[in-house]
Amino acid sequence: MGKVLEMTRMRSVFLIGLLATALSACSSDTIQSGSGKGLFGKSEPAAVSPRTAALVQQGAPAYVAVLEAHEGAQTVFLRQTVNAKAEETWISNEELSLGMKRGMVLATRGFGGDVLAIDASQTAAALRAGRLSNVNRFMTFLDGNSQARTLAFKCQIERGETYPIDFGTFKIQTVYFSEACRNADMSFINKYWVDVKDRRIIESSQWMGNTIGALGLRIIPR
């Protein structure tokens, strides 16, 4: 029991330190949305909020997140809730949120240019099965008239090599998958590193639209 408590304490200290680093990086990020908020938070430095600190102390699962097109734009998301469909709400200290399910992003809120909803159920099924597949993906955004508009994409999933992701004291063996998606107007590539044992997405790069771009996510082990 003592060893478990010590590991929990060490993880909490690590997460608080990571949050402080992320918040410092966010404060220097010059990429701004129309609301005056940076893509990963406010334009002024922020302290770790009581809500965030409480989730850390409770041992909530966590992801470190980066906006790949914007240097220094990083933060930490902590799982807040899970519903009956196993759909999760993840929040950041900057009051951003992600809808997710087993590492697959379902929606974003608070970023500016958010994706309202993503149906990637066919992709998720293909990754769980570990197979090559042609799938459909649907992403809903607000258009210039503030009307919800759903874009459909045809995607091809390809399987790559196995790859160990190093977490310092241990490694998780993963399989790499790429998902090349396109429609008549645009194309993008999502990347996933999937645990060979339980098929969780351990690390990923998922496209969230033209405003947010690719969102990189890496799980922080408990």
Side-chain angles (χ1 to χ4, degrees):
M1 177 64 72
K3 186 175 181 181
V4 172
L5 289 174
E6 177 63 16
M7 290 178 65
T8 301
R9 187 192 70 80
M10 290 176 62
R11 180 180 183 273
S12 296
V13 171
F14 167 74
L15 269 176
I16 292 294
L18 183 59
L19 277 163
T21 301
L23 291 171
S24 174
C26 289
S27 69
S28 63
D29 184 21
T30 58
I31 304 299
Q32 300 289 317
S33 71
S35 65
K37 255 188 178 181
L39 284 176
F40 260 163
K42 299 176 182 178
S43 55
E44 303 85 15
V48 176
S49 71
R51 180 182 65 175
T52 300
L55 287 172
V56 171
Q57 294 300 326
Q58 292 164 16
Y63 277 92
V64 62
V66 298
L67 290 176
E68 297 181 5
H70 306 302
E71 184 177 357
Q74 62 179 13
T75 194
V76 174
F77 283 90
L78 296 154
R79 192 176 73 188
Q80 185 180 37
T81 61
V82 184
N83 67 18
K85 298 180 180 179
E87 297 168 342
E88 306 154 344
T89 299
W90 297 70
I91 60 171
S92 78
N93 195 72
E94 303 86 0
E95 300 181 354
L96 308 177
S97 67
L98 297 173
M100 297 180 68
K101 186 172 183 179
R102 290 180 59 85
M104 188 73 70
V105 179
L106 305 178
T108 71
R109 295 293 185 272
F111 290 73
D114 287 303
V115 53
L116 302 182
I118 300 173
D119 180 353
S121 55
Q122 294 181 26
T123 300
L127 295 182
R128 286 195 301 271
R131 64 172 184 265
L132 305 180
S133 188
N134 293 314
V135 300
N136 297 311
R137 170 179 285 260
F138 304 93
M139 304 180 71
T140 302
F141 301 89
L142 289 179
D143 63 18
N145 297 316
S146 296
Q147 298 295 314
R149 180 187 177 201
T150 299
L151 305 180
F153 297 90
K154 296 288 187 182
C155 305
Q156 183 175 11
I157 297 175
E158 295 187 356
R159 177 171 175 155
E161 301 295 325
T162 57
Y163 181 83
I165 295 181
D166 192 346
F167 289 97
T169 57
F170 65 96
K171 297 179 180 179
I172 295 179
Q173 195 71 15
T174 67
V175 180
Y176 170 71
F177 293 88
S178 64
E179 179 188 23
C181 300
R182 67 174 57 250
N183 63 15
D185 301 312
M186 62 188 73
S187 63
F188 57 90
I189 296 176
N190 291 328
K191 303 171 185 177
Y192 310 94
W193 287 262
V194 178
D195 191 325
V196 297
K197 292 182 178 180
D198 64 9
R199 315 310 297 179
R200 288 182 305 160
I201 299 172
I202 301 300
E203 187 169 329
S204 65
S205 172
Q206 301 181 50
W207 188 75
M208 298 291 108
N210 289 329
T211 300
I212 299 173
L215 178 65
L217 292 165
R218 186 175 189 179
I219 199 168
I220 300 173
R222 300 177 68 173

